[in-house]
């Protein structure tokens, strides 16, 4: 008998860790975005995606609400809003 | 072939025949000769293994854990403080279910520093999940390593095995041993086929985080596997005797217990002395016997119950203590009879701590002390005058 011993690779994505978020979450306004990718690069969860201007968005299933994206955005195009 | 060998050299010879791919250890008395001999075998080319030099026992245990994770048969040896420094990794090896085999040359624990034999080191990590077997003779210590790999690597078991041999008494003593041939070992021990291993083409994660939703099942699984080991050891032992022509201990050994009125329960090399005393006392008509516990983990509860249930007086003789409570072996042997209708009077004696000599007279004294009154914790050959010394 072995019990839960081995995990196959890339199974951590099954854990929707966005539930750990408390308080605030980022809102991507998509108005003044210049596609500098600063938010995407600084996100510790790697859960921000986007290519062209005003297309950036984050995956709330994994976002922890740290606010780094909002803090680094040079155009103030991301704001932290209250969690509903 | 019969050879006159030092215990450590005999063990090294047995390990060489098991063909481990990685050996890592840190020198500590009285274990050193084993790995020293294996290193020189590797240097001479008679052993095709990678010997990894490390800076501590913690690293030695980590190296064999890693090697085993990569699917390689691996070996280490240690003693006393070394085992304690390994302790963290010792639990990890069992928890990750790697069939590592380790020799523990049993030695006392500091402080005060003491390099001589008792069982405190192995007993201290008894709850780690390792299978722990205790050798009585050099022959048995040698054979047990071959048996250990066979049990550890059984596909349904996958647990590490610690082969315990008494420091100096067995590691540095010399004995005529029947050295098996490479062909015999090859026949008994097939090459290691890991059920799982670290492989870049087939990535898996081992030893990862298990939150409260998962952790308990890992412990339960090891405990259940130990029950399987209890069934497996006698079977593998039978196969062993078919190939090598001698047994390798089994779970327990009963020596003249059938009609005995007084039986000592003990582990390790002291059982040789006890058997001599039994022969002497039997010649005078005294009905005495010995129950040697070979497998300490898993603890053979049913076998102990069967062997002792009709014996009126039992003495548990142990070379370890659980300071602040009963001796560990005493507590466990007594627990076998908890709630049972047939129970012997079980007394507990501590003997030979830190290598204090255990003589024929010490053993005779234990038999003499066995009356109908249970003794809970008595130290044999204690020197009261040392306790009166002031600071």
């Amino acid at each position: 008998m072995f019990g839960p011993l081995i995990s196959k690779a890339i199974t951590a994505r099954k854990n929707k860790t966005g539930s750990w978020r408390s308080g605030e979450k980022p809102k991507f306004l998509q108005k003044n975005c210049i596609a500098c990718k600063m938010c995407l690069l600084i996100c510790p969860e790697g859960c921000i995606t986007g290519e062209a201007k005003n297309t950036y968005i984050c995956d709330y299933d994994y976002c922890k609400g740290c606010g780094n994206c909002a803090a680094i955005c040079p155009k103030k195009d991301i704001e932290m809003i209250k969690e509903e | 072939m019969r050879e006159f060998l030092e215990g450590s050299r005999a063990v090294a010879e047995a390990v060489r025949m098991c063909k481990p791919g990685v050996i890592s250890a840190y020198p500590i008395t009285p274990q050193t000769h084993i790995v020293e001999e294996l290193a020189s075998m590797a240097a001479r080319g008679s052993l095709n293994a990678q010997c990894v030099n490390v800076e501590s026992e913690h690293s030695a245990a980590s190296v064999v854990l890693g090697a085993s994770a990569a699917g390689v048969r691996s070996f280490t040896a240690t003693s006393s403080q070394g085992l304690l420094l390994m302790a963290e990794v010792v639990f990890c090896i069992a928890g990750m279910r790697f069939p590592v085999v380790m020799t523990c040359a049993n030695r006392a624990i500091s402080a005060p520093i003491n390099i001589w034999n008792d069982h405190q080191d192995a007993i201290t990590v008894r709850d780690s999940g390792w299978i722990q077997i205790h050798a009585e003779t050099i022959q048995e210590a040698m054979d047990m390593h071959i048996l250990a790999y066979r049990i550890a690597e059984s596909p349904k078991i996958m647990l590490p095995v610690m082969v315990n041999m008494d420091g100096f008494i067995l590691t540095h003593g010399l004995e005529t041993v029947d050295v098996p041939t490479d062909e015999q070992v090859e026949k008994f021990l097939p090459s290691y086929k890991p059920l799982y291993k670290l492989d870049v083409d087939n990535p898996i994660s081992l030893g990862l985080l298990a939150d409260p939703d998962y952790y308990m099942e890992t412990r339960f699984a090891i405990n259940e596997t130990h029950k399987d080991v209890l069934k497996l050891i006698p079977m593998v032992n039978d196969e062993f005797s078919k190939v090598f022509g001698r047994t390798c201990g089994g779970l327990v050994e009963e020596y003249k217990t059938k009609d005995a009125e007084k039986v000592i329960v003990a582990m390790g090399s002291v059982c040789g002395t006890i058997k001599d005393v039994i022969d002497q006392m039997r010649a005078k008509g005294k009905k005495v016997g010995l129950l040697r516990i070979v497998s300490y983990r898993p603890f053979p509860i049913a076998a102990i119950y069967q062997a002792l249930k009709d014996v009126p007086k039992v003495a548990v003789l142990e070379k370890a203590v659980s300071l602040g409570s009963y001796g560990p072996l005493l507590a466990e042997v007594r627990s076998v009879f908890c709630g049972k209708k047939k129970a012997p009077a079980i007394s507990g004696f501590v003997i030979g701590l830190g290598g204090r000599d255990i003589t024929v007279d010490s053993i005779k004294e234990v038999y003499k002390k066995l009356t109908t009154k249970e003794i809970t914790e008595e130290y044999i050959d204690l020197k009261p005058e040392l306790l009166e010394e002031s600071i």
Side-chain angles (χ1 to χ4, degrees), chain B residues 296-351:
Chain B
Y296 179 61
R297 283 292 179 274
F299 198 61
I301 293 169
I304 292 170
Y305 178 75
Q306 277 305 320
L308 298 181
K309 67 178 177 7
D310 299 319
V311 178
K313 291 159 207 154
V314 169
V316 177
L317 205 60
E318 56 190 324
K319 287 184 177 181
V321 285
S322 175
L323 298 172
S325 185
Y326 300 143
L329 194 57
L330 170 66
E332 289 190 64
V333 172
R334 276 190 178 167
S335 77
V336 169
F337 290 94
C338 258
K340 295 277 196 300
K341 275 179 190 154
K342 271 188 170 177
I346 304 170
S347 297
F349 300 91
V350 176
I351 196 164

Side-chain angles (χ1 to χ4, degrees), chain B residues 116-307:
Chain B
W116 292 272
N117 164 246
D118 68 30
H119 289 160
Q120 195 67 54
D121 48 6
I123 299 278
T124 304
V125 295
R126 64 175 186 182
D127 302 331
S128 60
W130 283 59
I131 296 161
Q132 295 188 331
I133 47 180
H134 283 260
E136 180 191 331
T137 60
I138 292 171
Q139 179 76 63
E140 206 173 65
M142 188 179 193
D143 294 345
M144 273 179 176
H145 285 81
I146 304 164
L147 188 91
Y149 276 113
R150 178 70 191 272
I151 293 165
E153 292 168 1
S154 296
K156 284 186 175 162
I157 305 297
M158 293 295 281
L159 279 175
V161 179
M162 186 186 297
V163 179
N164 291 283
M165 61 191 295
D166 286 331
F168 290 114
I169 300 167
L170 295 184
T171 56
H172 290 56
L174 284 101
E175 188 182 297
T176 309
V177 286
D178 189 356
V179 181
T181 62
D182 287 282
E183 293 72 40
Q184 280 175 316
V185 176
E186 244 163 62
K187 194 177 162 197
F188 179 75
L189 183 69
S191 60
Y192 175 40
K193 291 178 194 70
L195 290 177
Y196 43 85
K197 63 173 181 178
L198 294 180
D199 177 0
V200 282
D201 294 328
N202 240 325
I204 54 167
S205 298
L206 293 160
L208 25 73
L209 176 83
D211 66 12
D213 287 340
Y214 295 96
Y215 184 84
M216 253 172 85
E217 284 71 16
T218 66
R219 299 294 111 173
F220 179 80
I222 295 176
N223 204 37
E224 288 298 300
T225 307
H226 269 270
K227 291 176 191 166
D228 296 338
V229 177
L230 281 176
K231 290 180 212 140
L232 185 72
I233 288 178
M235 282 158 61
V236 175
N237 196 29
D238 282 350
E239 272 185 57
F240 186 93
S241 50
K242 270 177 207 147
V243 177
F244 299 95
R246 57 179 175 273
T247 66
C248 190
L251 295 171
V252 294
E253 186 201 352
E254 293 179 58
Y255 188 76
K256 302 187 179 172
T257 53
K258 286 288 168 276
D259 62 335
E261 285 161 4
K262 293 177 176 181
V263 168
I264 288 183
V265 179
M267 300 196 294
S269 63
V270 70
C271 295
T273 313
I274 298 172
K275 285 173 185 173
D276 275 359
V277 173
I278 290 170
D279 292 345
Q280 287 175 23
M281 289 175 76
R282 284 260 171 190
K284 289 179 191 161
K286 301 234 170 74
K287 288 183 175 172
V288 289
L290 163 76
L291 178 70
R292 178 165 73 97
I293 294 178
V294 183
S295 165
Y296 179 61
R297 283 292 179 274
F299 198 61
I301 293 169
I304 292 170
Y305 178 75
Q306 277 305 320

